[in-house]
Amino acid sequence: MVDSDSRTLMLVGAINAFREHGIATTSLTEIVERSGAPRGSVYHYFPEGKGQLAGEAVAYFGRGVSAAISSMIAQSSPPEIIDAVVTIFRNSLVESDFTSSCPVAAAAVEGASTPAALTAAGESFTSWESLLTSFFWQQGQPSETAAQWATVVIASIEGATLMAKAQHTTAPLDRIGAHLKALVSAPS
């Protein structure tokens, strides 16, 4: 395995741990165990420790979601994008028995303890909003409406995911997905 693969495995291990436990309660030991990387490699790749690892992991996840949104935009209608994103979050919850959620949301909630992760979360949300705003505008919505829809979509899905996790049911996601699809399907 080359160095960059070990580093990526550590980022993915951190993301998966943060999705389940949040950032503050996830130990470096757990991240190392999940990644399969040698313990000494944490400080080799992330010399500033857990805060740096958390920031880079959240940014890595955020870029992945941005890439997925960009890919969907290229080939989907607004309702199809809503359906795809809700399905991704729903599947993640069900497959993890409702223990997994979004590491970007975890970073936003725990911001004071991990400033680098909070910054990465803000940048991720901004990127997602920008992509969706552009998409809705290209679909014929006025600029302000496109920006409002982007914010509503992201905030609603993130919030419904937290509710679904706490309630141990996909019902909040299913309801918000149906509502958002109706919103983006309505004539302008």
Side-chain angles (χ1 to χ4, degrees):
M1 181 178 307
V2 297
D3 277 354
S4 63
D5 289 342
S6 293
R7 188 175 198 291
T8 300
L9 286 174
M10 293 193 77
L11 291 171
V12 172
I15 289 165
N16 290 332
F18 299 158
R19 290 175 74 131
E20 291 179 21
H21 308 295
I23 296 171
T25 57
T26 297
S27 68
L28 287 175
T29 301
E30 181 178 358
I31 293 168
V32 168
E33 288 172 1
R34 283 177 179 254
S35 70
R39 179 148 177 80
S41 61
V42 171
Y43 291 102
H44 172 73
Y45 294 115
F46 308 99
E48 296 170 32
K50 184 178 170 184
Q52 180 186 5
L53 172 58
E56 290 189 33
V58 170
Y60 181 81
F61 181 85
R63 286 190 304 272
V65 172
S66 292
I69 291 171
S70 293
S71 177
M72 285 187 269
I73 284 172
Q75 52 191 307
S76 304
S77 68
E80 290 171 329
I81 287 177
I82 301 297
D83 201 37
V85 173
V86 167
T87 298
I88 290 166
F89 278 81
R90 182 188 307 107
N91 290 347
S92 176
L93 284 166
V94 170
E95 290 167 6
S96 71
D97 195 27
F98 294 87
T99 61
S100 184
S101 60
C102 179
V104 174
V109 170
E110 299 177 28
S113 63
T114 54
L118 178 62
T119 297
E123 291 169 355
S124 295
F125 285 138
T126 298
S127 173
W128 304 347
E129 276 186 302
S130 178
L131 288 165
L132 289 175
T133 297
S134 293
F135 175 66
F136 292 138
W137 179 78
Q138 290 170 357
Q139 297 294 310
Q141 294 303 315
S143 296
E144 184 59 28
T145 301
Q148 289 170 352
W149 281 12
T151 301
V152 166
V153 165
I154 294 165
S156 297
I157 292 173
E158 287 285 2
T161 300
L162 292 175
M163 290 175 65
K165 181 177 180 179
Q167 295 172 347
H168 211 268
T169 176
T170 62
L173 267 173
D174 297 335
R175 287 191 295 266
I176 205 65
H179 178 74
L180 292 172
K181 286 193 316 187
L183 170 73
V184 300
S185 296
S188 37

